[in-house]
Amino acid sequence: MYQNLKKHERSIYFITTSSKQSSIFYLMPKASKFYVVWSGHKPGIYSSWEECQQQTKNYSNAKYKGFPTRVAAENAYAGNYDDFKTKAKSSKPLFKVDENLPKPVFPSIAVDAAWNTVSGDMEYQGVDAQTGRLIFHQGPFRDGTNNIGEFLAIVHALAMLKREKSNLPIYSDSMTAITWVRNRKANTKLIKSKENEVLFDLIARAEKWLKENIWKNPILKWETPIWGEIPADFGRK
């Protein structure tokens, strides 16, 4: 069932499913990020989201962003926030990618979610993974979580592609959301309230769609340590 291709330090496995399709998983070290704070209580480079939050929470017009490597963060900190707050299509990678490492599949759709740590609002979107063109955006929704947003974004993309009779791959950087979709169940611990009734209704509709439909679209993990931030990233951390 498993075929291990030890071409690099990271092991690559092909897992054959009963539908004769193969899913590819890259067993990566736990992804770490470095956070640049250009404008905050104490500007600098931080190695955890918690440290970044301490420097930006309750700071008016805080400017910060996450990067996949220390080198990328140092290059960004030496520059201006405005050069990095959005992803220009023509921008060059901030770190060198080994030509032997796996590359994203194009054409494809990339999805992502954003959760506001202050208000608790959540939103999600899907983009063309190659060009960054926005395809859909939903929210903000009150009292949500990032995992729920990632889950809804994948289902949104699946339903849209099924209507269009397209088998394009879908990329997400959330293994949790991918697992929820495969299990056809959002295993959230969020407590239902009046504020998030709309969100729980969307979850129920998404789970119903997953149970009633079959799809052929590969749902793939975006490998942030290799490729950088997923193209659908909101660029807020």
Side-chain angles (χ1 to χ4, degrees):
M1 185 178 182
Y2 298 90
Q3 180 185 1
N4 188 3
L5 306 180
K6 293 185 177 178
K7 296 175 63 177
H8 316 293
E9 293 181 11
R10 306 173 180 88
S11 298
I12 302 176
Y13 291 89
F14 286 86
I15 303 178
T16 304
T17 66
S18 58
S19 61
K20 297 183 181 180
Q21 295 181 351
S22 295
S23 299
I24 304 174
F25 293 85
Y26 303 95
L27 303 188
M28 307 293 300
K30 185 177 180 181
S32 60
K33 290 181 70 173
F34 296 87
Y35 299 87
V36 174
V37 176
W38 286 275
S39 179
H41 297 295
K42 186 178 179 181
I45 299 174
Y46 297 89
S47 58
S48 73
W49 173 233
E50 289 72 22
E51 290 177 307
C52 179
Q53 281 185 302
Q54 291 175 6
Q55 303 306 323
T56 57
K57 190 173 182 179
N58 299 323
Y59 188 92
S60 179
N61 197 29
K63 296 177 181 179
Y64 56 95
K65 186 174 175 62
F67 295 88
T69 68
R70 178 82 190 189
V71 172
E74 290 173 350
N75 288 341
Y77 188 52
N80 298 316
Y81 168 73
D82 290 338
D83 296 331
F84 296 92
K85 65 180 180 180
T86 58
K87 298 180 181 63
K89 296 176 185 178
S90 59
S91 63
K92 296 181 180 179
L94 293 178
F95 55 97
K96 186 177 180 180
V97 177
D98 189 333
E99 292 182 356
N100 294 320
L101 291 176
K103 295 177 176 59
V105 177
F106 298 127
S108 55
I109 290 179
V111 300
D112 198 23
W115 178 67
N116 190 307
T117 57
V118 177
S119 67
D121 290 351
M122 178 276 293
E123 57 190 309
Y124 69 81
Q125 64 185 12
V127 306
D128 183 313
Q130 189 169 23
T131 66
R133 178 181 62 85
L134 181 66
I135 298 174
F136 61 81
H137 175 273
Q138 295 292 313
F141 301 101
R142 296 289 297 167
D143 190 22
T145 70
N146 203 65
N147 283 334
I148 289 174
E150 301 267 11
F151 168 76
L152 292 175
I154 296 174
V155 180
H156 189 129
L158 282 172
M160 180 193 72
L161 292 173
K162 188 175 180 65
R163 288 195 303 269
E164 297 176 357
K165 298 180 179 180
S166 169
N167 292 332
L168 282 181
I170 300 169
Y171 276 105
S172 170
D173 61 6
S174 171
M175 201 63 229
T176 296
I178 292 174
T179 301
W180 287 2
V181 171
R182 287 176 179 163
N183 293 336
R184 293 172 166 79
K185 177 71 175 177
N187 191 27
T188 179
K189 295 181 180 179
L190 182 66
I191 298 174
K192 187 174 182 178
S193 66
K194 288 186 178 180
E195 282 196 329
N196 59 30
E197 281 181 346
V198 173
L199 197 54
F200 270 86
D201 179 61
L202 289 176
I203 293 172
R205 289 164 57 186
E207 292 175 340
K208 183 175 185 293
W209 188 94
L210 290 172
K211 292 173 182 177
E212 295 177 351
N213 288 271
I214 297 174
W215 61 90
K216 296 182 179 180
N217 309 79
I219 301 175
L220 306 175
K221 176 70 167 61
W222 182 267
E223 297 298 349
T224 303
I226 304 176
W227 306 327
E229 290 290 356
I230 192 166
D233 182 65
F234 282 81
R236 298 175 187 168
K237 65 173 186 173

